[in-house]
Amino acid sequence: MSTEADPRDVLAYLLKHATAKLTAATDTALEPYGIDSKDFGALRVLAHREPASQLQVARTLGIDRTTMVALLDALERKGVVARRPDPADRRRNVVG
């Protein structure tokens, strides 16, 4: 058994902790605006495209549909986004 750490394990550990610190700092910076880093990610996706479906936004962010619905519910309660039925496909919601 080797006593040396696998560099990939060390890198993964460091990246995990760097991500946690960045998320905490971002959440603190966004707190005065009533949003957090997850909200900000969704808003950035929405700001750079035409109104998109919930599913398109979820795919871009790499999150599942259930998580996307919860995220958009929270943003809608805050009055930041609005969902409406897509005129071309009423089964689909467009976020704007």
Side-chain angles (χ1 to χ4, degrees):
M1 179 175 253
S2 174
T3 59
E4 291 185 35
D6 183 335
R8 292 172 295 198
D9 291 341
V10 173
L11 180 60
Y13 172 83
L14 292 173
L15 288 172
K16 176 182 144 190
H17 285 280
T19 299
K21 287 189 177 283
L22 179 61
T23 299
T26 302
D27 287 346
T28 299
L30 293 171
E31 189 174 8
Y33 304 102
I35 61 173
D36 63 18
S37 54
K38 290 180 209 137
D39 298 336
F40 183 72
L43 292 172
R44 293 252 324 142
V45 168
L46 291 167
H48 292 289
R49 58 170 46 186
E50 294 296 316
S53 74
Q54 293 178 180
L55 185 56
Q56 288 170 313
V57 177
R59 284 182 178 155
T60 301
L61 292 171
I63 60 176
D64 63 71
R65 290 184 304 180
T66 304
T67 302
M68 186 76 242
V69 169
L71 179 58
L72 290 175
D73 284 347
L75 288 172
E76 208 167 29
R77 279 191 302 274
K78 294 174 186 177
V80 180
V81 300
R83 287 179 278 196
R84 62 188 185 285
D86 183 341
D89 183 351
R90 297 191 58 79
R91 297 169 295 170
R92 187 174 107 139
N93 282 324
V94 175
V95 185

